Amino acid sequence: MNAPVRIGHSACPHDCPSTCALDVELLDSGGIGRLHGAKDNSYTAGVICAKVARYGERLNHPGRLLKPLIRAGAKGEGKWKDASLSAALDLVAEKFLAAEAKHGAQTVWPYFYAGTMGLVQRDGINRLRHAKGYSNQYDTICTNTAWTGWVMGTGALRGADPREMAKSDCVVIWGTNAAATQVNVMTHAIRARKERGAKIVVVDIYDNATVKQADLALVLKPGTDAALACAVMHVLFREGFADRDYLNEFSDDPAGLESHLQSRDPTWAAAITGLAADDIEAFARLVGERRRTFFRLGYGFTRNRNGAVAMHAAASIPVVTGAWKLEGGGAFHNNGAIFKVLDKSLLEGAADADPKVRYLDQSRIGRVLTGDAHELRGGPPVTAMLIQNTNPMNVTPEQRLVRQGFSREDLFVCVHEQFMTDTAAMADVVLPATMFLEHDDIYKGGGNQHITLGPKQVEPPPGPVPNHTIIEELGRRLGVSDRPGWGLNERQHIDAMLRRTGESFGSLAEKRWLDIQPNFETAHYLKGFAHASGKFRFRADWKNTPAPDRPPASIGLFGDLARLPEFPDQMDFIDAADAEHPFRLATSPAHSFLNSTFSETPSSREREKRPELMIHPDDGARLGLADGDRVEIGNAQGMVVLDARLSGKVRPGVVIAEGLWPNTAHERGEGINTLISADMAPPYGGVPFHDAKVWVRRAD
């Protein structure tokens, strides 16, 4: 008789708003079986994505890094010699101190992002940064445009309880392929359909897995979302669906908005978006008639140069209808503001932070590493880096510049990683990292309202060590381990972060998570929106509004600020197709990858097959392409070779490359981000990953 499987508890550590609460099958061998969504977590609701359910493939992958490595050949050549952890760290400290002696502390740039979302293992790197006075990092790769547009209207990065989708009469999923990237959104939306007869509307740029779930699918041209939003509001005002009492109490200038929208009718929007005017009318009437409409606004539609403006426009719709008044109505994007209850000051060494230390833009790493004086902010060159759980050689824009920068012989790079990524392959020292079930950590759910504990569940194999250990060991070697926050273990840091909540590692281990959802009145802004006026801002102040991603003064604002609109509007500052570049490219997420993570997992690679370019059959015929033909795709940034996949899922004139395959999976060794510009979206930055004009031709 088989013994019952023991179940451990954790949280998904990956860069996904769901932050799923997990039940982990723990095997007597010390390994793991399947992972399952926690059924008693009200947001996860027992459902997780298939790639995380198969996590044992990553944990036990034969290609996992298990020992420290020191480069023994040319950069990127792949020749290594084994080293002890102590010897490798001694070398890193020696190189950092030598670089500092020559150029000053700001020549060292600790670089990280969302390779793990665990607060201890992710954010502790800042404790080293601040203690040593190393260069700061301005985070622009993901959230800037979306958060800026949202906060421009609401005043705070929070919204209606996302579980309320299940209580809606209409759920609008806009700019996120939730069926692939946020599966829990679909859980609650489909529940509303089954239990309430709710309609699901999906707005996206191609026919993906979420679009297939829609009762009304609006597949529009990339970068035209604000035009759709404006036309919807035009109809709402015109047809009497606007809640004027609500608008007068809770918004700044409803009359000005209505006047502005007079010329933004569905016919105007149809010419811009490529949608039928009748479909725009139908969408507007649906949300007007079904006041209990929930807008789940994602990141995808903001990854354009006009992304902040588009988010502001979409977030304005439920204000016009007054949907915020109703449970199951309103909007949600991210809950970042509610997690300020967590105190990371000791973890990040906030007491040592020096406001005079420069910030370097993480997305412009190619320009930084190739010596762009503007990007270096008047400081020294970057000659030493610690890169933690992130893969800039694959995920950042302007990849040819990035490769050129990492190829510099005077640049010393230490990478702490789980696999030999494109970035690790260019390093001087590679340190093996633990995975989330092999260390203690704590997580916050950007897409929900839970603080979830992720205690260690299994022992790592010999070799890999937690990020926290690396930071502590480097701090000791670099002479800063006597500063505040140093010398604590992971559980002590978790206790310090939780102090304001009255919880501790021990108490949270019993509860598994904390639900810190604000009450209904607060979440729905029924006591006023979070601006000083208490009003939702239709009239945007793009230069002066505080936002979570507002750049420091040393960096300044981005783009042609004079062209940013006063009211929600379609702005034409996208990378529009032209005669030489007749296609618009978007680099959308793959179903079985998560950015560059899971691209090493056998089952995920098998499902995704190969790097491909989705092209409409009419465009394929015009170019003389058959399914599977090799195609070259290019622009001013470079050129990439892919295999053509002819598909009616994309619009004519639009091409989609799903997923971030390793550069080595591509012919010529160059991945899709070779084609993406590092031009920042106004006003606060953000990479236009879905905003590139390209040419396409058959590869010889």
Side-chain angles (χ1 to χ4, degrees):
M1 181 176 178
N2 293 330
V5 174
R6 294 179 298 119
I7 300 297
H9 306 294
S10 191
C12 181
H14 291 290
D15 186 14
C16 167
S18 289
T19 318
C20 293
L22 301 176
D23 291 338
V24 184
E25 295 179 359
L26 301 176
L27 307 179
D28 290 339
S29 63
I32 65 168
R34 297 279 289 185
L35 274 61
H36 306 274
K39 292 181 180 179
D40 48 346
N41 181 283
S42 56
Y43 185 74
T44 302
V47 179
I48 61 171
C49 65
K51 53 186 174 284
V52 172
R54 303 187 298 265
Y55 212 86
E57 286 185 287
R58 288 198 88 238
L59 207 68
N60 302 311
H61 195 291
R64 183 176 175 183
L65 292 170
L66 297 177
K67 60 184 73 172
L69 301 171
I70 296 175
R71 178 166 65 92
K75 287 205 171 190
E77 186 180 1
K79 292 183 178 179
W80 306 95
K81 60 181 180 181
D82 296 350
S84 68
L85 180 63
S86 179
L89 289 171
D90 286 346
L91 177 60
V92 174
E94 174 190 327
K95 293 291 188 179
F96 280 16
L97 289 170
E100 180 180 350
K102 184 175 182 179
H103 297 287
Q106 294 184 59
T107 194
V108 182
W109 191 19
Y111 190 98
F112 77 110
Y113 200 54
T116 175
M117 298 297 279
L119 302 184
V120 175
Q121 307 296 344
R122 184 188 69 188
D123 298 335
I125 194 173
N126 286 325
R127 189 167 68 260
L128 179 64
R129 182 195 311 278
H130 296 325
K132 287 294 297 177
Y134 293 157
S135 285
N136 288 307
Q137 175 178 291
Y138 179 46
D139 298 338
T140 55
I141 204 164
C142 181
T143 61
N144 297 56
T145 50
W147 289 7
T148 298
W150 176 270
V151 173
M152 187 61 61
T154 64
L157 188 61
R158 55 177 170 81
D161 186 336
R163 294 168 295 193
E164 289 182 31
M165 282 183 283
K167 301 177 181 179
S168 300
D169 295 326
C170 179
V171 179
V172 179
I173 302 172
W174 195 325
T176 176
N177 184 5
T181 62
Q182 297 181 60
V183 65
N184 312 98
V185 170
M186 301 310 300
T187 298
H188 298 288
I190 291 172
R191 180 181 169 191
R193 174 192 274 163
K194 289 180 177 178
E195 296 181 0
R196 301 178 56 85
K199 299 296 184 183
I200 297 177
V201 180
V202 178
V203 183
D204 216 309
I205 60 170
Y206 72 115
D207 184 5
N208 54 42
T210 306
V211 168
K212 294 185 185 307
Q213 296 283 347
D215 298 295
L216 174 61
L218 300 171
V219 178
L220 74 176
K221 295 178 181 178
T224 64
D225 302 80
L228 172 61
C230 288
V232 167
M233 290 187 284
H234 170 99
V235 174
L236 294 172
F237 278 113
R238 186 192 70 200
E239 297 300 314
F241 292 122
D243 186 333
R244 296 187 182 276
D245 289 340
Y246 177 84
L247 284 166
N248 289 333
E249 182 177 357
F250 288 98
S251 70
D252 62 344
D253 190 0
L257 176 67
E258 183 175 9
S259 175
H260 167 74
L261 294 172
Q262 286 294 317
S263 61
R264 274 71 171 172
D265 64 7
T267 300
W268 165 83
I272 297 169
T273 63
L275 299 170
D278 287 348
D279 288 341
I280 298 173
E281 293 269 1
F283 178 31
R285 291 177 184 276
L286 181 63
V287 301
E289 292 168 354
R290 298 193 176 211
R291 296 298 180 101
R292 203 179 300 271
T293 292
F294 194 105
F295 285 77
R296 183 59 176 87
L297 303 176
Y299 289 91
F301 76 108
T302 72
R303 301 201 194 283
N304 292 274
R305 288 168 174 81
N306 60 7
V309 174
M311 173 61 83
H312 179 235
S316 297
I317 299 174
V319 182
V320 174
T321 65
W324 282 103
K325 296 189 300 186
L326 303 172
E327 186 178 29
F332 180 82
H333 170 63
N334 183 285
N335 246 343
I338 74 172
F339 296 108
K340 292 178 180 179
V341 67
L342 292 168
D343 182 0
K344 296 194 296 180
S345 58
L346 273 180
L347 175 71
E348 295 191 301
D352 285 326
D354 182 349
K356 297 188 294 295
V357 172
R358 69 177 174 183
Y359 279 80
L360 302 176
D361 190 328
Q362 69 170 165
S363 299
R364 300 200 189 200
I365 184 173
R367 302 185 191 188
V368 169
L369 295 185
T370 52
D372 186 307
H374 175 74
E375 297 305 325
L376 290 171
R377 309 292 165 190
V382 171
T383 62
M385 297 185 73
L386 171 63
I387 298 179
Q388 173 186 279
N389 297 150
T390 194
N391 190 10
M393 277 289 296
N394 183 250
V395 305
T396 56
E398 297 182 345
Q399 281 284 296
R400 288 187 173 176
L401 276 181
V402 177
R403 177 173 291 278
Q404 181 182 336
F406 273 102
S407 298
R408 285 170 38 208
E409 283 299 328
D410 66 331
L411 174 67
F412 175 82
V413 176
C414 172
V415 171
H416 191 203
E417 192 51 274
Q418 297 165 351
F419 291 91
M420 186 59 75
T421 63
D422 291 317
T423 305
M426 293 294 291
D428 298 281
V429 173
V430 178
L431 305 176
T434 49
M435 296 189 187
F436 78 106
L437 295 172
E438 299 167 342
H439 53 237
D440 292 319
D441 217 328
I442 191 170
Y443 304 84
K444 57 182 182 179
N448 57 72
Q449 56 289 304
H450 290 110
I451 297 171
T452 307
L453 192 68
K456 181 178 179 179
Q457 299 295 326
V458 296
E459 288 297 324
V465 293
N467 296 353
H468 178 71
T469 300
I470 296 300
I471 299 306
E472 284 287 313
E473 288 295 319
L474 284 176
R476 184 171 62 81
R477 285 167 170 80
L478 293 166
V480 295
S481 58
D482 59 341
R483 305 298 302 152
W486 293 86
L488 306 180
N489 63 32
E490 286 100 328
R491 296 188 178 193
Q492 289 170 319
H493 274 297
I494 291 170
D495 285 345
M497 277 189 279
L498 288 171
R499 192 170 294 125
R500 293 173 185 165
T501 70
E503 301 289 347
S504 66
F505 181 95
S507 65
L508 195 53
E510 295 181 10
K511 297 178 180 179
R512 298 166 57 193
W513 53 73
L514 297 178
D515 184 343
I516 61 168
Q517 175 64 36
N519 62 35
F520 179 81
E521 284 189 332
T522 301
H524 283 251
Y525 298 101
L526 297 185
K527 296 179 180 178
F529 284 90
H531 294 295
S533 65
K535 309 283 190 178
F536 183 94
R537 284 187 180 175
F538 291 130
R539 299 175 72 106
D541 182 0
W542 295 107
K543 294 182 182 179
N544 300 309
T545 297
D549 283 330
R550 188 179 176 91
S554 62
I555 286 186
L557 305 186
F558 296 91
D560 188 351
L561 303 178
R563 294 180 59 207
L564 289 167
E566 182 180 24
F567 286 105
D569 209 350
Q570 175 64 29
M571 300 307 297
D572 62 1
F573 42 73
I574 57 176
D575 199 22
D578 56 32
E580 293 184 3
H581 308 85
F583 293 93
R584 293 264 290 149
L585 166 70
T587 58
S588 302
H591 190 85
S592 298
F593 295 165
L594 202 166
N595 300 325
S596 67
T597 306
F598 295 99
S599 62
E600 72 288 320
T601 305
S603 61
S604 291
R605 290 184 73 106
E606 182 180 352
R607 285 165 172 79
E608 297 301 329
K609 296 183 174 60
R610 61 188 180 184
E612 294 181 325
L613 187 71
M614 296 173 63
I615 307 173
H616 191 276
D618 291 349
D619 290 329
R622 182 171 54 82
L623 295 170
L625 296 174
D627 217 38
D629 281 352
R630 292 168 57 252
V631 295
E632 291 177 333
I633 173 173
N635 57 21
Q637 272 70 243
M639 180 174 64
V640 175
V641 177
L642 298 163
D643 290 323
R645 175 152 62 100
L646 304 185
S647 173
K649 295 180 179 180
V650 298
R651 300 179 59 93
V654 175
V655 290
I656 303 287
E658 288 187 324
L660 281 179
W661 287 85
N663 297 337
T664 51
H666 289 263
E667 188 175 327
R668 303 176 189 167
E670 293 189 295
I672 197 65
N673 281 327
T674 300
L675 308 177
I676 303 303
S677 169
D679 290 346
M680 291 288 104
Y684 300 157
V687 182
F689 282 114
H690 299 340
D691 186 4
K693 63 184 178 185
V694 295
W695 48 258
V696 179
R697 65 192 180 206
R698 178 193 293 275
D700 294 332

